[in-house]
Amino acid sequence: MKILITGAAGFVGCRATRFLGLSHQVIPLNSKQLDVTDEEMIHTLFMDHAPKAVIHLAALSDTAYCEAHPDDCEAVNYIGTLNVARAAAAVGAKLIYASSDQVYNGCTETGLLGEDVPLAPKGVYAALKYHTECEVQELLPTAVGLRLSWMYDVPNSPLRQNHGLLLRLLEAARSGVPFAASVNECRGITNVWQVVRRIEAAIALPGGIYNFGSPNRCSTHDTVLEAARFLAAAGHLEAGSASPVNAVEAPQRNLAMNLHRIEQFGLTFPDTISGLKAALLHGA
């Protein structure tokens, strides 16, 4: 299958390009090769390549930057995604695009959250992600939106890293400034390879929105403590040293996703704690 990937130089994109390139004809486009805010450029490239599927990963994912630069966030994450959706529709390509668990940040419900819970996202990034989902699904009902969680790779990965949980823990240990983790927050944290290995299957999903990441029932504080323990067991942190984690009180926040919808199609993710343990202790 010919698959076009936007954001191919990014944290998820470079891994998706490598993995899907083993069995498909992949067209990887980075931000220099494709400006998603340029609708004419997108249309021309899509027509030239005529992909069967488009995996749209080009985005601004730094929520703090998006809050400080709302126009940039709107241009890339909202208008850029709509441009890609229109071009995918024009060439008859199946569109897979990245959304975010941040759309749940205004929910008052507890437990694992399904895709149909009422949403009232707070902040520029989250609100635009949700608005984008609504617009894309109206424009292209066959499109598949993946609500992704915070992701990480193992610390010694040779591929591009993000400022993920494991690297932040190592930085905290080196600097002596503990990682502040909320006892009032619950969120899934996912091994990026668990996402990448399931993207091909996502192409076959019916159009709609899907939670696509590890579930978690533990507080962020307890999750981070476990991650630190696994890092020590795997030799990345000195065993017995002071914990690089501080418990903090913060407003209640729940981003934890349930996977009932994708499980109907045979797709599952390990829970956050199991995923962290496997990644660090077993290299999986």
Side-chain angles (χ1 to χ4, degrees), residues 61-74:
S61 59
D62 185 326
T63 56
Y65 179 91
C66 290
E67 289 300 318
H69 303 86
D71 291 343
D72 289 354
C73 183
E74 181 177 16

Side-chain angles (χ1 to χ4, degrees), residues 33-153:
Q33 297 165 314
L34 177 65
D35 176 0
V36 295
T37 68
D38 187 333
E39 186 172 10
E40 184 175 349
M41 174 188 283
I42 294 172
H43 187 80
T44 299
L45 280 170
F46 278 38
M47 285 295 181
D48 288 345
H49 290 295
K52 293 297 183 183
V54 174
I55 299 175
H56 177 48
L57 300 171
L60 294 176
S61 59
D62 185 326
T63 56
Y65 179 91
C66 290
E67 289 300 318
H69 303 86
D71 291 343
D72 289 354
C73 183
E74 181 177 16
V76 176
N77 292 354
Y78 171 59
I79 296 172
T81 302
L82 289 180
N83 287 340
V84 169
R86 293 187 188 97
V91 299
K94 182 64 175 283
L95 174 63
I96 313 299
Y97 66 98
S99 189
S100 172
D101 62 355
Q102 292 291 327
V103 300
Y104 295 114
N105 70 16
C107 287
T108 58
E109 296 190 26
T110 59
L112 301 182
L113 302 172
E115 293 88 344
D116 295 326
V117 300
L119 297 178
K122 298 177 181 178
V124 172
Y125 177 85
L128 279 172
K129 280 292 186 181
Y130 180 50
H131 188 42
T132 300
E133 286 182 357
C134 297
E135 294 283 335
V136 170
Q137 296 308 135
E138 182 175 352
L139 173 68
L140 188 59
T142 60
V144 170
L146 304 179
R147 288 179 178 166
L148 304 176
S149 71
W150 192 19
M151 288 176 278
Y152 63 88
D153 200 349

Side-chain angles (χ1 to χ4, degrees), residues 164-179:
L165 170 62
L166 300 180
L167 290 184
R168 287 182 63 181
L169 273 171
L170 292 175
E171 289 173 5
R174 284 193 291 265
S175 69
V177 179
F179 183 109

